[in-house]
Amino acid sequence: MDIAALKRDLEGLKIDDHPAIVQQKSRDFYWYSPVLKAQLDHVTGDLIVTPKSEDEVIRVLAACHRRGVPVTPRGSGTGNYGQAMPLSGGVVLNLAEMNQVKAIAPGRVVTGPGAVLAEIDKATRAHSAQELRMSPSTYNTASIGGFVAGGSGGVGSIRWGGLRDLGNVIRLRTVTMEAEPRVMELTGEEVLKVMHAYGTNGIITEVEMPLTASYDWIDVIVGFDDFMDAAGFGNDLAIQDGILAKLITPIAAPIPYDYFKRHQKFFRREQSIVVCMIAPHAIEAFVAFVKSGKGEIVFRADQEADLKGLPPAYELTWNHTTLRAIRVDPTITYLQARYPSPDHLAHVKAMVDRFGDEVPAHLEFIRFDGAIGAAGLPLVRYTTQERLDEIIRIHEDNGCWIFNPHRYTLEEGGMKRTDDVQLAFKRETDPQGLLNPGKMIAWENPDYDYRSGKSFLFKGLQKVG
Amino acid sequence: MDIAALKRDLEGLKIDDHPAIVQQKSRDFYWYSPVLKAQLDHVTGDLIVTPKSEDEVIRVLAACHRRGVPVTPRGSGTGNYGQAMPLSGGVVLNLAEMNQVKAIAPGRVVTGPGAVLAEIDKATRAHSAQELRMSPSTYNTASIGGFVAGGSGGVGSIRWGGLRDLGNVIRLRTVTMEAEPRVMELTGEEVLKVMHAYGTNGIITEVEMPLTASYDWIDVIVGFDDFMDAAGFGNDLAIQDGILAKLITPIAAPIPYDYFKRHQKFFRREQSIVVCMIAPHAIEAFVAFVKSGKGEIVFRADQEADLKGLPPAYELTWNHTTLRAIRVDPTITYLQARYPSPDHLAHVKAMVDRFGDEVPAHLEFIRFDGAIGAAGLPLVRYTTQERLDEIIRIHEDNGCWIFNPHRYTLEEGGMKRTDDVQLAFKRETDPQGLLNPGKMIAWENPDYDYRSGKSFLFKGLQKVG
Ligand SMILES: Cc1cc2nc3c(=O)[nH]c(=O)nc-3n(C[C@H](O)[C@H](O)[C@H](O)COP(=O)(O)OP(=O)(O)OC[C@H]3O[C@@H](n4cnc5c(N)ncnc54)[C@H](O)[C@@H]3O)c2cc1C
Ligand SMILES: Cc1cc2nc3c(=O)[nH]c(=O)nc-3n(C[C@H](O)[C@H](O)[C@H](O)COP(=O)(O)OP(=O)(O)OC[C@H]3O[C@@H](n4cnc5c(N)ncnc54)[C@H](O)[C@@H]3O)c2cc1C
């Protein structure tokens, strides 16, 4: 790689090669996983390029194509599987400054890829009381391009399903990695070609997302003596079609008391909780609903005198649950699970009974194929890689699906099989395999055996210096 | 009943006793049912009273209580089970002029009981691009009070479930039928005390309903060669969490061609259809979704050059399907069914196979307890009362639930059992049983045997003149 020559090609663009900056911008939240931390700690790019327009993106891709330099796109770098880490070095394409909110209409917003989710909502709320359907709990920092290319769902998925559900992304504009990069517009189911593809088959330069009505959601936390009562309450609430909720998150004791330091005073240590975001006009029905069950409201943001210092409730949920635990106890890690419906609660109970406090439970209720489902982000009190693998195996043997967050490839973190549509699209858009190398096994090693039980090891991974 | 004395008591209020007007305002759409037509055709009140305020309502109720005169509330009289018909005569309390839209806020609207649904939406759309969550297909004429007291759901129920689901009515203000009528405010699950109680236990004088974002919904009709393909498509569409639809209605051939006269040119006679209302920002995903199946779009309002003379799509659905059929062929009637989930489509198929064109199928997809369900409003080519009863029995023997629309009592049209909450509330609010007499069997005859197989006959029913 002739980085010096590339730098000359890119003259006039915003470039950074200060090693500390380059290293910082080559990292994401991969360190969440003790496994990825060990594998990727040394990984770094050679150059950070920060385009301000699609034209500049095209210039960068053309130059890198000519010089055979890998390009790894980056939004805000909050992915936690090393998605945005340049395994073979090269250019990190930092899209953070393509962050314009370009157009807002009923049900729609058009933005640059680097727009931060909370900033988009700020604009759409002010414009017409609208907001994005769903956001990761990294709402305040993550970019929309990174969410589409690297995320899956989050706060709001209880109502709208996952990001990949048809209709949850209206249009994507992408640029190919070729001698003369082409611009493509993808709509309908075509958006799936690049969604959650980690930027391996195109750089997203514009995003059109559906909007929904925004409300001043009320954070409410309901406490329970027993975790399965909390889970049951969450499920019963989720199937209330008339009570508008944006978030329903059961979390087992002692996670809330031990790790949610700033909310600690609201909990007893043996209390499991359900974190909710409720529309103001649903709050009376919600309170009536709570009264009919075993829980008690332990926190209600609209009735709390002093909210200073308290994070928003969603920053206790999704992957923030894990983050808060790790901050207190760095030996903790986590898993990502789906408990198949309709008997998802029975699956949850089986795992809770089996592992107890070694794998403290954390559920996220979501909508899935028109029904209510339970995803899990249970914590794991990590001992060894072997035990972690065993915990995964026991989940799978019990019919739970695991999306392994301790792998940096698309397939291993997903359904453990080739996505033919995304692979075919990569052949079209990145024939030389220069976009985010090492993340798509189907490209690197079409004959890979997913049942091997081992982690895929990308041959192009930088050697430890 | 000393109606002359009552008239003196009510001096200064808007009163009508012209026999033609009284008869007209004593009727609803009961004639839909050949059974109810025969039973209720002669029913008429003695006096129409049209209050303009809650104070006037209180005055009317106090006077009628004193004189022992029955009071039957009336919104717009579009109910189709004789709900608003004064079986024992007396006062018809016409609430049509208490139709003010009083307050609009994010997610909420407060109105008088007589406000027409379409008029409410007109105000909330103009105010802040909001609309009611659901409406009957009589949207353009029905009142909100009549919907709450006599309806069950409709257009929008695919997203929000039924009217009775907790949260779908925020607050009701009611007046009791006592010597000194009391005003009550019901919130949370308390609203269920008077919902779908046909006004037998209180007069609703104010309604607070939740709102949702309004869109310029696009009417789309998809055609299929086979009805079960249409039903399957409707179900598959309904479980698409990312495609925002307000209506998904499969209707079997030859209903569309034979009875939807103004849309006839868009159909072949052997075509079954699915009528949809799709949010504009979901239309691209919707079109992609249609392409992946067996249907073809035969009508799309946003691409039709000339919409003049065409009713909105929702006026082909819910009970308007029946209405249009009856207009062409007055011998037709219908049933109301629920096909239990999760195998609702198998239940539908069993009935379609069994009855063929004697009971042409019409489904409404709705949300029910957090999942997609299928309600049915199949047409029936009516021959005899015995055959109608047999058709009902065969449905029930096959596990389908029938809500018999050929009965004027709450229980027979519903779950065929006492609603203890509503009965207890009536004891509190109408101790003399003067509100809409004859509609609640539990009040008239606590020992009634619902398994008798016969229709309940209200002893107080006016004798045929
Ligand atoms: C505490 C915490 C909580 C989280 N909660 C959630 C959650 O609730 N739901 C969820 O889905 N995820 C969650 N995540 C993961 C992550 O935060 C989100 O997916 C987020 O949306 C990623 O956005 P980003 O801008 O940080 O993307 P980055 O991390 O910068 O990038 C993500 C991926 O997208 C690619 N990419 C970025 N921009 C582009 C572009 N313009 N074109 C093509 N490819 C691009 C990158 O190469 C990378 O592969 C969480 C992570 C953390 C650390
Ligand atoms: C063509 C057609 C289509 C229909 N489609 C639907 C549908 O999709 N969904 C549905 O649910 N229904 C449907 N219906 C039934 C009916 O139109 C609706 O339920 C409608 O909302 C009733 O409103 P209304 O103002 O006409 O009520 P009314 O018929 O006037 O009254 C209905 C009941 O409520 C009582 N009532 C009225 N006002 C008050 C009050 N202020 N306080 C206490 N009690 C009161 C009356 O006594 C009566 O028992 C349909 C009917 C027809 C004819």
Side-chain angles (χ1 to χ4, degrees):
Chain A
M1 279 193 285
D2 188 346
I3 297 293
L6 181 68
K7 276 171 69 176
R8 285 191 302 276
D9 293 348
L10 299 182
E11 212 174 296
L13 300 191
K14 185 165 172 184
I15 283 177
D16 211 319
D17 62 358
H18 186 290
I21 303 279
V22 173
Q23 186 182 60
Q24 184 211 321
K25 290 270 188 250
S26 299
R27 293 184 158 188
D28 58 14
F29 280 64
Y30 73 105
W31 50 263
Y32 246 60
S33 158
V35 181
L36 295 179
K37 171 125 180 81
Q39 286 175 343
L40 304 183
D41 220 28
H42 65 288
V43 164
T44 181
D46 295 285
L47 203 63
I48 311 298
V49 186
T50 304
K52 296 200 190 304
S53 67
E54 186 180 87
D55 284 348
E56 292 192 2
V57 170
I58 291 172
R59 224 184 114 191
V60 178
L61 296 188
C64 288
H65 184 271
R66 196 162 53 236
R67 305 247 174 229
V69 175
V71 173
T72 300
R74 175 187 182 86
S76 305
T78 68
N80 51 295
Y81 326 127
Q83 290 113 305
M85 293 179 73
L87 303 189
S88 306
V91 164
V92 171
L93 190 68
N94 173 26
L95 294 146
E97 297 191 9
M98 286 175 64
N99 60 356
Q100 214 191 329
V101 177
K102 300 177 181 179
I104 304 170
R108 303 172 187 259
V109 63
V110 180
T111 75
V116 168
L117 300 163
E119 296 298 322
I120 297 173
D121 274 3
K122 213 174 277 175
T124 55
R125 282 209 185 102
H127 176 276
S128 43
Q130 300 188 93
E131 64 186 27
L132 293 165
R133 287 178 170 178
M134 67 190 74
S135 296
S137 62
T138 45
Y139 180 63
N140 283 306
T141 47
S143 74
I144 186 74
F147 187 37
V148 167
S152 53
V155 184
S157 287
I158 182 61
R159 192 125 203 111
W160 295 101
L163 200 48
R164 283 181 63 103
D165 283 318
L166 202 53
N168 280 336
V169 175
I170 296 177
R171 183 175 58 85
L172 295 175
R173 194 174 158 98
T174 63
V175 178
T176 63
M177 182 57 156
E178 296 173 289
E180 298 191 13
R182 286 171 297 152
V183 173
M184 294 185 162
E185 293 266 355
L186 308 175
T187 60
E189 62 198 343
E190 292 210 309
V191 295
L192 294 177
K193 292 178 175 178
V194 293
M195 283 180 62
H196 202 83
Y198 293 179
T200 55
N201 56 13
I203 304 299
I204 299 167
T205 53
E206 190 173 276
V207 175
E208 182 168 346
M209 298 293 282
L211 296 174
T212 183
S214 69
Y215 298 105
D216 293 332
W217 301 97
I218 300 175
D219 291 348
V220 190
I221 302 178
V222 187
F224 294 83
D225 291 334
D226 178 73
F227 175 71
M228 285 313 299
D229 286 340
F233 167 84
N235 196 69
D236 291 347
L237 175 62
I239 66 174
Q240 290 291 321
D241 299 315
I243 301 182
L244 183 57
K246 189 168 178 172
L247 180 72
I248 303 177
T249 308
I251 303 175
I255 299 175
Y257 186 88
D258 282 358
Y259 305 132
F260 299 168
K261 287 301 183 192
R262 294 196 260 166
H263 282 85
Q264 195 182 54
K265 61 181 170 193
F266 300 108
F267 314 130
R268 284 178 283 109
R269 186 163 191 268
E270 52 300 344
Q271 224 166 17
S272 293
I273 63 172
V274 181
V275 183
C276 305
M277 286 169 70
I278 305 293
H281 54 289
I283 197 78
E284 277 156 326
F286 174 82
V287 169
F289 182 76
V290 172
K291 282 203 181 116
S292 69
K294 294 183 189 169
E296 56 169 319
I297 293 179
V298 296
F299 175 80
R300 199 176 139 172
D302 62 335
Q303 296 190 338
E304 201 57 46
D306 185 10
L307 295 172
K308 228 187 293 165
L310 291 181
Y314 63 80
E315 288 185 0
L316 305 175
T317 69
W318 289 86
N319 240 326
H320 270 81
T321 311
T322 323
L323 183 63
R324 287 180 193 282
I326 293 176
R327 278 199 193 137
V328 175
D329 177 354
T331 68
I332 283 178
T333 188
Y334 83 121
L335 286 177
Q336 296 178 152
R338 268 297 309 279
Y339 308 93
S341 296
D343 54 346
H344 42 274
L345 290 184
H347 280 96
V348 170
K349 182 164 189 325
M351 294 301 94
V352 165
D353 289 348
R354 174 76 185 240
F355 294 112
D357 192 54
E358 184 186 6
V359 184
H362 162 200
L363 304 181
E364 295 291 346
F365 283 103
I366 54 171
R367 210 178 274 288
F368 188 79
D369 282 356
I372 298 302
L377 297 148
L379 298 188
V380 177
R381 301 195 192 273
Y382 185 78
T383 47
T384 62
Q385 163 93 48
E386 291 66 43
R387 178 58 181 165
L388 183 60
D389 288 341
E390 189 176 37
I391 292 171
I392 292 174
R393 207 165 46 244
I394 293 171
H395 274 80
E396 290 175 339
D397 289 347
N398 280 273
C400 306
W401 311 340
I402 294 288
F403 304 95
N404 194 335
H406 305 283
R407 300 288 183 272
Y408 57 75
T409 64
L410 285 162
E411 292 91 339
E412 291 166 299
M415 299 300 285
K416 291 156 198 96
R417 60 164 186 255
T418 298
D419 183 326
D420 290 318
V421 171
Q422 295 194 340
L423 175 61
F425 196 59
K426 186 170 172 75
R427 291 208 180 98
E428 252 183 74
T429 59
D430 179 28
Q432 299 202 10
L434 290 168
L435 288 178
N436 205 354
K439 303 294 169 64
M440 188 191 280
I441 297 179
W443 177 270
E444 307 297 342
N445 180 358
D447 302 321
Y448 186 72
D449 176 11
Y450 295 103
R451 290 155 308 172
S452 70
K454 296 194 211 101
S455 288
F456 174 77
L457 282 183
F458 173 46
K459 290 216 194 75
L461 184 66
Q462 286 176 345
K463 301 280 171 290
V464 182
Chain B
M1 277 192 284
D2 187 346
I3 297 293
L6 181 68
K7 276 171 69 176
R8 286 192 301 275
D9 293 348
L10 299 181
E11 214 176 293
L13 299 192
K14 185 166 172 184
I15 283 178
D16 211 320
D17 61 358
H18 187 289
I21 304 278
V22 174
Q23 187 182 60
Q24 184 210 320
K25 289 273 190 250
S26 298
R27 294 184 156 186
D28 59 11
F29 281 64
Y30 74 106
W31 50 264
Y32 244 60
S33 158
V35 180
L36 295 179
K37 171 126 180 79
Q39 286 175 343
L40 304 183
D41 220 27
H42 65 288
V43 164
T44 181
D46 295 286
L47 202 63
I48 311 299
V49 185
T50 305
K52 295 198 190 306
S53 66
E54 187 180 85
D55 284 347
E56 293 191 1
V57 170
I58 291 172
R59 222 185 117 191
V60 179
L61 296 187
C64 289
H65 185 271
R66 195 160 54 237
R67 306 250 172 225
V69 175
V71 173
T72 299
R74 176 187 182 84
S76 306
T78 67
N80 51 296
Y81 325 129
Q83 289 115 305
M85 293 178 74
L87 302 188
S88 307
V91 163
V92 172
L93 189 68
N94 173 26
L95 294 146
E97 297 191 9
M98 287 176 62
N99 60 357
Q100 214 191 329
V101 178
K102 302 177 180 181
I104 304 169
R108 303 172 187 258
V109 64
V110 180
T111 75
V116 168
L117 300 163
E119 297 298 322
I120 298 174
D121 274 4
K122 214 174 275 175
T124 55
R125 282 209 185 101
H127 176 276
S128 43
Q130 300 189 94
E131 65 185 25
L132 293 166
R133 287 177 171 179
M134 68 191 74
S135 296
S137 63
T138 45
Y139 180 62
N140 283 305
T141 49
S143 74
I144 186 76
F147 186 39
V148 166
S152 53
V155 184
S157 287
I158 182 63
R159 191 122 206 115
W160 296 103
L163 200 46
R164 283 180 63 101
D165 282 319
L166 201 54
N168 280 336
V169 175
I170 295 177
R171 183 176 57 86
L172 295 175
R173 192 173 159 97
T174 63
V175 178
T176 63
M177 181 57 156
E178 296 174 288
E180 297 192 12
R182 286 171 297 152
V183 173
M184 295 185 162
E185 294 266 355
L186 308 176
T187 59
E189 60 198 345
E190 294 209 308
V191 296
L192 293 177
K193 292 178 175 177
V194 294
M195 284 181 62
H196 202 81
Y198 292 179
T200 54
N201 56 13
I203 303 299
I204 299 167
T205 53
E206 189 173 277
V207 175
E208 182 168 345
M209 300 292 282
L211 297 174
T212 183
S214 70
Y215 297 105
D216 293 331
W217 301 98
I218 300 174
D219 292 348
V220 191
I221 302 177
V222 188
F224 294 83
D225 291 334
D226 177 74
F227 175 71
M228 286 310 300
D229 287 341
F233 167 84
N235 196 70
D236 290 347
L237 175 62
I239 66 174
Q240 291 290 321
D241 299 314
I243 301 182
L244 182 57
K246 190 168 177 173
L247 180 73
I248 303 176
T249 309
I251 303 174
I255 299 175
Y257 185 89
D258 282 358
Y259 305 132
F260 299 169
K261 287 301 184 190
R262 294 196 260 168
H263 282 86
Q264 196 182 53
K265 63 180 170 195
F266 301 108
F267 314 131
R268 284 177 283 110
R269 187 163 190 269
E270 41 320 327
Q271 224 166 16
S272 293
I273 63 173
V274 181
V275 183
C276 305
M277 286 169 69
I278 305 293
H281 54 289
I283 197 77
E284 277 156 325
F286 174 81
V287 169
F289 182 75
V290 173
K291 283 206 181 113
S292 68
K294 292 182 190 168
E296 55 169 320
I297 293 179
V298 296
F299 176 79
R300 201 177 137 171
D302 63 333
Q303 297 191 338
E304 200 57 45
D306 185 10
L307 294 172
K308 228 189 290 166
L310 291 180
Y314 63 79
E315 288 185 0
L316 305 176
T317 70
W318 289 87
N319 239 325
H320 269 81
T321 311
T322 323
L323 183 63
R324 288 179 193 283
I326 293 176
R327 277 198 193 139
V328 175
D329 177 354
T331 67
I332 282 178
T333 187
Y334 83 119
L335 286 177
Q336 297 178 150
R338 268 296 310 278
Y339 308 95
S341 296
D343 53 346
H344 43 276
L345 290 183
H347 281 95
V348 170
K349 183 166 189 324
M351 294 301 94
V352 166
D353 289 348
R354 174 77 184 239
F355 293 112
D357 192 52
E358 185 187 6
V359 184
H362 163 200
L363 304 180
E364 294 291 347
F365 283 103
I366 54 172
R367 209 177 276 287
F368 188 80
D369 282 356
I372 298 303
L377 297 148
L379 299 188
V380 177
R381 300 195 193 272
Y382 185 76
T383 47
T384 62
Q385 163 95 48
E386 291 66 44
R387 177 59 181 162
L388 183 61
D389 287 342
E390 188 175 39
I391 292 170
I392 291 174
R393 206 164 47 244
I394 292 170
H395 274 82
E396 290 175 341
D397 289 348
N398 279 274
C400 306
W401 311 341
I402 294 289
F403 304 95
N404 194 336
H406 304 285
R407 298 289 183 272
Y408 56 75
T409 62
L410 285 162
E411 292 92 340
E412 291 167 299
M415 298 302 283
K416 289 153 202 99
R417 60 162 187 256
T418 298
D419 183 325
D420 290 318
V421 171
Q422 295 195 340
L423 176 61
F425 196 59
K426 187 171 172 72
R427 292 210 179 96
E428 250 184 76
T429 58
D430 179 26
Q432 299 203 10
L434 289 169
L435 287 179
N436 205 355
K439 302 296 168 63
M440 188 192 279
I441 297 178
W443 178 269
E444 308 295 343
N445 181 358
D447 301 322
Y448 185 72
D449 176 12
Y450 295 103
R451 289 155 309 171
S452 70
K454 294 193 214 105
S455 288
F456 174 76
L457 281 184
F458 172 45
K459 290 214 196 75
L461 185 64
Q462 285 176 342
K463 301 279 170 291
V464 182

